[in-house]
Amino acid sequence: MNTIGIDLGGTNLRVGVIAKNGEILEQYSRPTEAEKGPEFAINTMTELIDKLRANHEVSAIGIGSPGPLNPLTGMIIEPPNLPGFLNVPIKSIVEEKTGLTVTLENDANAAALAEAKIGAGKNAASVFYITLSTGIGGGLVINGNLFSGAQGNCGEIGNMIIDPSGHESPGLNKGALEALASGTAIGRMGFEQLGITTGAQGVFQLAESGHTQAQNIIDKALTYLAMGIANIVHTLNPEVIILGGGMMKSKDLIFVPLEDKTRDYLYPSLKDSFVLKPALLDQKAGLIGAGFLPR
Amino acid sequence: MNTIGIDLGGTNLRVGVIAKNGEILEQYSRPTEAEKGPEFAINTMTELIDKLRANHEVSAIGIGSPGPLNPLTGMIIEPPNLPGFLNVPIKSIVEEKTGLTVTLENDANAAALAEAKIGAGKNAASVFYITLSTGIGGGLVINGNLFSGAQGNCGEIGNMIIDPSGHESPGLNKGALEALASGTAIGRMGFEQLGITTGAQGVFQLAESGHTQAQNIIDKALTYLAMGIANIVHTLNPEVIILGGGMMKSKDLIFVPLEDKTRDYLYPSLKDSFVLKPALLDQKAGLIGAGFLPR
């Protein structure tokens, strides 16, 4: 039966009816306005759910939210991207308001599930999805089932240590992948080395126009990213690795060099062990994946 | 029904009858004598299988072997620990000789399965097993099922990059976990820094007697190992992490500092997310796990 998928983002709140095949039958998008607190966002959410239920029979609700959160207790703990959402028992609140069962998961895990089931990982036995954005996260899907770990934190690869003598960003390990290779890291290097204040996008634009220093910044980030992906391949040997997230808007600059660099770091027997693919569902992955969560 | 488990090691070949509950009902051990080639080892193997089948009804055979190998094709590819075993189709050879179905897996994966099902990971939903020995390997078991990856190479964490400016060992990435934290690495540092030629065991003995430089060598290796384990926790959020392998003979020197160091590298929400445990089955894990493979 159809489900309600909810993509609770730092900027936008998307609520939709998701068919069994992943089709979005109807959807609404509203600003999250996280600064107004969780109650406001949850009210918007349930209002939209009611509107959708007027037109569709649905069996359950799935919510993808920024972490940290706990899928077992259905609690949003303290996401940096949702300031003010401190220990919010969103599962039980929404269950009480709607009478439907609610499943809560990390947003990257929800996107991973959508990409694995109907996106770039369709029909693969094992898929590791990586989101490259201001942060770096991921999710693992095995035989169509999300593996989210003991407390739902599988895929927190942003904190993977890549270079213990590398940059230290607040809240992360020194030399963590996210501190070295995320959009935030590229933007920071662009500011430090070139004085530009337009973030990663500015660095990508300069690089595209042939600016050598900007290209070097991206090359350095991709080298670290390749090490991170190689670590995932050696740890998990997944069949497909999918790259999504905002940084993939610059995929022409990223994809081929990243693939080449990654293979350089692999055991010979693993060099051709996986397929690296760009995500197919773009920003819809979170909403569709949320709808898949209850299944 | 009972199965035959085979632990094909670089030194010893163990063949046993494994009951459904993991009990070893009868077993034989012989020197592998790998230098005599795969045909010799396979003949020893089938001889012992015949002896065991005279006393026991068995339904299938599981073989744990050093990698690289391919569990899908049942082929041993080119293991450094089994010189001369080059592209050996061991599955089809043993199937033809015995008339029984053969399942082939990496030896660390087999040990992981045994520890997860009846050892230190019993009843846990997700288990990551790490073997610390001359090399470093691992295996992942989810809900009692081995996840061995697209080509059986899940758990090749020895080649995980931890410090790109670290030591380079042949066949491994520069600064790979195994190059920094294995028994081989500790032995190498003992030789380079202290001139001792008795390998990791010699370094552990000196450290135990209070030798500061030897203690520093071990501390350095454990720091890198903690980074590697933290990377596994952030990537997979397993419920239990099990440490096995020859280095665990010195577990009094290893276990507590390693646990403390690992938690230092974790997100606050992940610090208490897992239980670190020493392996319970010792060198029997490989044989028992091999017996579990066909199930």
Side-chain angles (χ1 to χ4, degrees):
Chain A
M1 208 206 268
N2 302 329
T3 56
I4 297 271
I6 300 178
D7 182 10
L8 172 58
T11 310
N12 289 305
L13 169 64
R14 293 189 181 87
V15 183
V17 176
I18 313 299
K20 213 177 160 185
N21 66 1
E23 202 188 333
I24 302 172
L25 301 179
E26 191 180 347
Q27 67 167 315
Y28 296 101
S29 179
R30 297 277 185 278
T32 307
E33 302 186 71
E35 68 284 359
K36 293 189 179 167
E39 211 174 314
F40 177 82
I42 290 173
N43 282 338
T44 312
M45 209 177 271
T46 51
E47 233 170 71
L48 297 177
I49 293 170
D50 288 346
K51 278 178 85 160
L52 291 167
R53 287 177 81 181
N55 301 331
H56 303 270
E57 193 95 19
V58 298
S59 60
I61 297 173
I63 304 178
S65 158
L69 53 78
N70 186 329
L72 303 178
T73 60
M75 187 92 91
I76 295 176
I77 298 171
E78 196 185 359
N81 290 339
L82 290 174
F85 282 59
L86 188 66
N87 297 320
V88 180
I90 193 163
K91 173 184 159 76
S92 56
I93 297 174
V94 177
E95 282 185 343
E96 198 171 311
K97 290 195 179 225
T98 62
L100 291 170
T101 308
V102 172
T103 310
L104 175 70
E105 277 287 353
N106 186 291
D107 47 8
N109 281 348
L113 190 56
E115 286 289 347
K117 284 179 97 82
I118 63 162
K122 197 175 164 182
N123 299 325
S126 52
V127 171
F128 201 96
Y129 169 82
I130 299 174
T131 171
L132 304 171
S133 181
T134 49
I136 295 178
L140 173 64
V141 179
I142 298 174
N143 296 326
N145 298 309
L146 182 68
F147 174 70
S148 69
Q151 294 90 11
N153 294 300
C154 179
E156 292 288 358
I157 56 170
N159 208 17
M160 179 193 283
I161 298 162
I162 300 288
D163 185 351
S165 53
H167 183 80
E168 184 160 11
S169 293
L172 293 168
N173 282 316
K174 187 166 162 53
L177 184 60
E178 190 167 307
L180 301 172
S182 63
T184 307
I186 292 171
R188 172 183 52 76
M189 290 186 278
F191 178 73
E192 286 170 3
Q193 295 173 35
L194 309 172
I196 61 169
T197 55
T198 43
Q201 221 181 335
V203 178
F204 279 116
Q205 276 166 0
L206 271 183
E208 208 154 13
S209 73
H211 191 290
T212 312
Q213 277 174 286
Q215 286 169 345
N216 288 345
I217 288 172
I218 291 167
D219 185 71
K220 197 173 171 194
L222 293 183
T223 298
Y224 283 126
L225 203 51
M227 292 180 186
I229 298 175
N231 284 356
I232 291 166
V233 174
H234 284 122
T235 304
L236 286 169
N237 185 205
E239 186 178 330
V240 174
I241 295 179
I242 301 174
L243 301 177
M247 262 171 71
M248 283 297 283
K249 283 178 202 149
S250 306
K251 97 180 143 204
D252 292 348
L253 284 173
I254 291 178
F255 198 78
V256 174
L258 185 55
E259 185 164 19
D260 289 346
K261 282 171 188 281
T262 300
R263 296 197 199 274
D264 285 347
Y265 292 119
L266 295 173
Y267 277 139
S269 59
L270 284 171
K271 282 193 196 298
D272 299 313
S273 67
F274 68 101
V275 185
L276 189 70
K277 291 186 172 183
L280 279 184
L281 306 172
D282 298 318
Q283 75 278 49
K284 284 182 300 181
L287 180 64
I288 297 169
F292 283 153
L293 289 175
R295 297 185 202 281
Chain B
M1 211 206 266
N2 302 330
T3 56
I4 297 271
I6 300 178
D7 182 8
L8 172 58
T11 310
N12 289 306
L13 169 65
R14 293 189 181 87
V15 183
V17 176
I18 313 299
K20 214 177 159 183
N21 66 1
E23 202 187 333
I24 302 172
L25 301 179
E26 190 180 350
Q27 66 168 315
Y28 296 100
S29 180
R30 296 277 184 279
T32 307
E33 301 186 72
E35 69 284 359
K36 292 191 181 166
E39 209 173 318
F40 178 82
I42 291 173
N43 281 338
T44 313
M45 206 178 273
T46 49
E47 233 170 70
L48 297 178
I49 293 170
D50 288 345
K51 277 179 85 161
L52 291 166
R53 286 176 83 181
N55 301 331
H56 303 270
E57 192 96 19
V58 299
S59 60
I61 297 174
I63 304 178
S65 159
L69 53 76
N70 187 328
L72 303 179
T73 59
M75 186 92 90
I76 296 177
I77 297 173
E78 196 185 359
N81 291 339
L82 291 174
F85 283 58
L86 187 66
N87 297 320
V88 180
I90 192 163
K91 174 184 158 75
S92 55
I93 297 174
V94 178
E95 282 185 343
E96 197 170 314
K97 290 194 177 227
T98 62
L100 292 169
T101 308
V102 172
T103 309
L104 175 71
E105 279 286 353
N106 185 293
D107 47 8
N109 282 347
L113 190 56
E115 286 289 347
K117 286 180 98 79
I118 63 161
K122 198 177 165 180
N123 299 324
S126 51
V127 171
F128 200 96
Y129 168 82
I130 299 173
T131 170
L132 304 170
S133 181
T134 50
I136 296 179
L140 173 63
V141 179
I142 299 175
N143 296 326
N145 298 310
L146 182 68
F147 174 69
S148 71
Q151 294 91 10
N153 294 300
C154 179
E156 290 289 358
I157 55 171
N159 207 16
M160 180 194 283
I161 298 163
I162 300 288
D163 185 351
S165 53
H167 183 81
E168 184 160 9
S169 293
L172 293 167
N173 282 314
K174 187 167 160 54
L177 183 60
E178 189 167 308
L180 302 172
S182 63
T184 308
I186 291 171
R188 173 183 51 78
M189 290 187 279
F191 178 73
E192 286 169 2
Q193 295 173 35
L194 308 173
I196 62 167
T197 55
T198 44
Q201 221 179 338
V203 179
F204 279 115
Q205 276 166 2
L206 270 182
E208 208 154 14
S209 73
H211 191 291
T212 312
Q213 277 174 285
Q215 286 168 344
N216 289 344
I217 288 172
I218 291 167
D219 185 72
K220 198 173 169 191
L222 294 183
T223 299
Y224 283 126
L225 203 51
M227 292 181 187
I229 298 176
N231 285 355
I232 291 167
V233 174
H234 285 123
T235 303
L236 286 170
N237 185 205
E239 185 178 331
V240 173
I241 295 179
I242 300 173
L243 301 178
M247 263 171 69
M248 284 297 283
K249 282 179 202 150
S250 307
K251 93 178 148 208
D252 292 349
L253 284 173
I254 291 180
F255 198 78
V256 173
L258 185 55
E259 184 164 21
D260 289 346
K261 282 170 187 281
T262 300
R263 296 198 200 274
D264 285 346
Y265 292 119
L266 294 173
Y267 277 138
S269 58
L270 284 172
K271 281 193 196 301
D272 298 314
S273 68
F274 67 101
V275 186
L276 189 69
K277 292 185 171 181
L280 281 183
L281 306 172
D282 297 319
Q283 75 279 49
K284 285 183 299 182
L287 180 64
I288 297 170
F292 283 153
L293 289 175
R295 298 183 202 278

